Amino acid sequence: MGEAFKRGDPTGFIARGLVSAGAGTSVPVTTQRMALTFGGTANGSLLSWQNPYDVAGAVTVTFMVTTAGTGTAGVDIGVGTLGGSADNLIDAGLVNTNEKVRNSVDDQGTNGTAFQRMSAKGGTADYVTGKANDVDATAVASAWIMFYPIG
């Protein structure tokens, strides 16, 4: 097994030791930031992110509205296929409030859940996909996708 860790060891040293102590492929927890645009309502037009790893994972999403929309635009974000429609993380999350942080834990809506299982790259559900349910060119937001390997 790996080397013993001591209180005060740098986090990077501990992480390398834990990864090297285990068997199999190591995959880091990944956070990806993406700008969101509300110019259309097509599936995947808000965001589309593919799992880059050959292992399955759990995924959650957070987004922050930096400029509120003037209409009733909301977002549907979930795990699915490229160009597909999914709202299993955030269902109809509104973008009408400045500096509002929304996430799939607290703001999941009717169909959303805090985390979703995501297939390994090339699997049947290896994308986080999102769409706006209404066009609102004034809304500005960013999303953070957090992926945790579990496969």
Side-chain angles (χ1 to χ4, degrees):
M1 200 133 212
E3 190 176 330
F5 307 120
K6 299 179 293 305
R7 181 180 296 249
D9 282 343
T11 303
F13 173 78
I14 293 171
R16 280 192 303 277
L18 290 172
V19 169
S20 64
T25 304
S26 62
V27 176
V29 172
T30 300
T31 303
Q32 177 70 46
R33 181 182 179 273
M34 302 181 78
L36 303 180
T37 56
F38 299 89
T41 59
N43 294 338
S45 63
L46 184 68
L47 68 94
S48 187
W49 181 81
Q50 184 180 30
N51 176 359
Y53 303 109
D54 293 329
V55 298
V59 67
T60 186
V61 173
T62 299
F63 73 93
M64 186 172 109
V65 178
T66 51
T67 302
T70 57
T72 58
V75 301
D76 290 337
I77 301 173
V79 174
T81 59
L82 176 62
S85 175
D87 62 1
N88 55 20
L89 285 166
I90 297 176
D91 180 15
L94 295 177
V95 295
N96 59 355
T97 306
N98 275 338
E99 303 302 317
K100 176 70 177 176
V101 176
R102 300 192 186 275
N103 61 66
S104 59
V105 175
D106 300 314
D107 305 295
Q108 52 198 231
T110 304
N111 298 322
T113 58
F115 292 87
Q116 281 290 320
R117 184 182 188 284
M118 185 175 211
S119 302
K121 183 177 181 178
T124 58
D126 64 341
Y127 274 84
V128 172
T129 183
K131 69 175 187 172
N133 59 22
D134 195 10
V135 174
D136 191 334
T138 60
V140 178
S142 293
W144 289 263
I145 298 167
M146 290 168 275
F147 174 84
Y148 305 86
I150 59 172

